[in-house]
Amino acid sequence: MHDALTGLLEQRAPVGRETWRSWWDRLGDGQLDPSEVLALLASLTSRLPDHQTLRHLLDSLAERRPAATVTTSWEGTVNVVGTGGGPRTFNISTASAFVAAAAGVKVVKTGSRAYTSSLGSVDLLERLGVRLTSSYAQTEDTLAAHGIAFAGPFVYPAQLTRLARTVAPHSLKPFGRFLNALGPFLADLPVTAQVTGVSAAAPLDTLRRLAASTPGRRIWLTTNDTGADELLPFATNTVHGHQGLTRIIRPGELIPGDGSFGDLRPAAEPAAAVDHFLAVLAGTAGRVATHTVCLGAAALVVASGVRRDWPSAVALAEGAVRSGAAHDLARRLAAASSTRTPAVAHA
């Protein structure tokens, strides 16, 4: 049994970087039995280890990434990604990304196919006709042309693909809790800021420590008293900012605080998801849906530095919906994607 798995099972803290290096070496050489890999994933999912173990795990993956073709940071660009979990809603953060981009923010959205929900952001984008980018250069070009890009698998460690192939035909879905919690810290993007919604299913304290120790970008974690991984108009929200700064947003403070999760339900059938999503961007899916995506977009506006105060950020987001700019942006990006080579997973 490998020391990484032994350390997790015996709860020896922390599991060091050298141990994780050995784990990835043996995985790459095909020396790990699938049952051992499944056992490690199950351990990480049933009990997320201490932040030092996770920091060593993340660092051991980061040092294996090939040299990026990006030489400068994407100044003023913000990444939005959530941990998943909580009550089921439509794809709020994806809608907020379009609204923020239509309001003038450069946005890179990362995400995945559904682990715990019926339709993840990648599933929705596929139905919408928006392709993921397949390289840093393509992401930069898409940002320059549209102000928004949805990054493909190339931003994630190749070892994740190796894990999936090793445990096949077993799916990674049973390990969605771990993958969703750590996912926001796995993408390699030279953005200025990152806004990550954290549900009650994710370990907030651990993620705050990881955010504080992640170099190169400011990371905001957002939570609320409903347990969802989104900012909600009818909830008391907390924005856990850089260097321990927090911002409490109470119902009715920035936008009307009425509504419930019933107003944020996903489309009844996956086939209707695109029409519902476009209605959200057009502001015709109900007041609460509009307020919710505008509050989420406002967080991206402030995090990016386009606006410094929340009220004007909300107003900017509302204008992007009211003018039709958010809806039109989604349509334009889908049309542009139809002429582009689709993203592919790591070999």
Side-chain angles (χ1 to χ4, degrees), residues 19 26 54-55 74 90 93 95 107-108 132 139-140 153 191 193 199 235 246 249 268 309 325 337 345:
T19 301
R26 294 193 64 183
L54 293 177
R55 182 76 268 161
W74 299 340
F90 65 85
S93 61
V107 180
V108 178
L132 308 182
T139 305
E140 288 180 325
V191 295
S199 74
T246 59
I249 302 173
D309 66 290
S337 294

Side-chain angles (χ1 to χ4, degrees), residues 180-323:
N180 281 341
L182 208 61
F185 298 92
L186 290 170
D188 185 22
L189 287 167
V191 295
T192 298
Q194 177 176 314
V195 177
T196 295
V198 178
S199 74
L204 176 61
D205 289 343
T206 298
L207 298 188
R208 289 187 70 180
R209 292 189 178 191
L210 288 178
S213 63
T214 299
R217 63 190 185 273
R218 300 187 308 273
I219 299 180
W220 290 5
L221 305 179
T222 67
T223 60
N224 61 61
D225 58 359
T226 71
D229 69 337
E230 307 285 356
L231 294 172
L232 301 173
F234 49 82
T236 298
N237 304 281
T238 303
V239 180
H240 307 268
H242 192 56
Q243 297 180 336
L245 299 177
T246 59
R247 169 73 152 87
I248 307 296
I249 302 173
R250 294 181 172 81
E253 180 180 344
L254 296 174
I255 52 179
D258 58 328
S260 69
F261 282 108
D263 300 295
L264 305 178
R265 286 191 299 264
E269 299 293 335
V274 168
D275 287 342
H276 180 263
F277 184 76
L278 291 173
V280 170
L281 294 182
T284 59
R287 293 173 59 253
V288 178
T290 299
H291 293 153
T292 301
V293 297
C294 286
L295 184 59
L300 305 183
V301 172
V302 177
S304 69
V306 170
R307 289 287 188 275
R308 292 186 177 275
D309 66 290
W310 284 80
S312 68
V314 170
L316 194 65
E318 290 175 336
V321 173
R322 190 168 50 249
S323 67

Side-chain angles (χ1 to χ4, degrees), residues 30-292:
Q31 298 179 29
L32 292 176
D33 187 271
S35 62
E36 194 169 5
V37 177
L38 286 167
L40 181 130
L41 290 171
S43 176
L44 289 170
T45 301
S46 62
R47 179 186 176 275
L48 206 65
D50 62 282
H51 78 281
Q52 289 179 307
T53 292
L54 293 177
R55 182 76 268 161
H56 291 317
L57 187 159
L58 290 170
D59 290 344
S60 72
L61 288 171
E63 66 188 18
R64 291 172 180 266
R65 292 189 181 110
T69 56
V70 179
T71 57
T72 59
S73 63
W74 299 340
E75 190 65 30
T77 303
V78 59
N79 171 223
V80 56
V81 59
T83 64
R88 292 182 67 242
T89 67
F90 65 85
N91 298 80
I92 294 171
S93 61
T94 304
S96 295
F98 275 111
V99 172
V105 179
K106 289 186 177 181
V107 180
V108 178
K109 175 81 173 72
T110 53
S112 64
R113 294 191 183 276
Y115 283 119
T116 57
S117 61
S118 59
L119 204 67
S121 62
V122 173
D123 303 296
L124 172 67
L125 292 169
E126 190 174 77
R127 287 167 168 77
L128 187 61
V130 173
R131 286 180 175 170
L132 308 182
T133 60
S134 57
S135 67
Y136 289 103
Q138 191 178 76
T139 305
E140 288 180 325
D141 290 344
T142 305
L143 278 173
H146 303 284
I148 187 171
F150 294 87
F154 74 94
V155 301
Y156 292 102
Q159 286 72 25
L160 297 184
T161 301
R162 186 71 184 188
L163 282 174
R165 289 176 175 174
T166 301
V167 303
H170 297 282
S171 169
L172 291 182
K173 267 199 169 188
F175 314 110
R177 180 174 177 270
F178 162 69
L179 295 170
N180 281 341
L182 208 61
F185 298 92
L186 290 170
D188 185 22
L189 287 167
V191 295
T192 298
Q194 177 176 314
V195 177
T196 295
V198 178
S199 74
L204 176 61
D205 289 343
T206 298
L207 298 188
R208 289 187 70 180
R209 292 189 178 191
L210 288 178
S213 63
T214 299
R217 63 190 185 273
R218 300 187 308 273
I219 299 180
W220 290 5
L221 305 179
T222 67
T223 60
N224 61 61
D225 58 359
T226 71
D229 69 337
E230 307 285 356
L231 294 172
L232 301 173
F234 49 82
T236 298
N237 304 281
T238 303
V239 180
H240 307 268
H242 192 56
Q243 297 180 336
L245 299 177
T246 59
R247 169 73 152 87
I248 307 296
I249 302 173
R250 294 181 172 81
E253 180 180 344
L254 296 174
I255 52 179
D258 58 328
S260 69
F261 282 108
D263 300 295
L264 305 178
R265 286 191 299 264
E269 299 293 335
V274 168
D275 287 342
H276 180 263
F277 184 76
L278 291 173
V280 170
L281 294 182
T284 59
R287 293 173 59 253
V288 178
T290 299
H291 293 153
T292 301

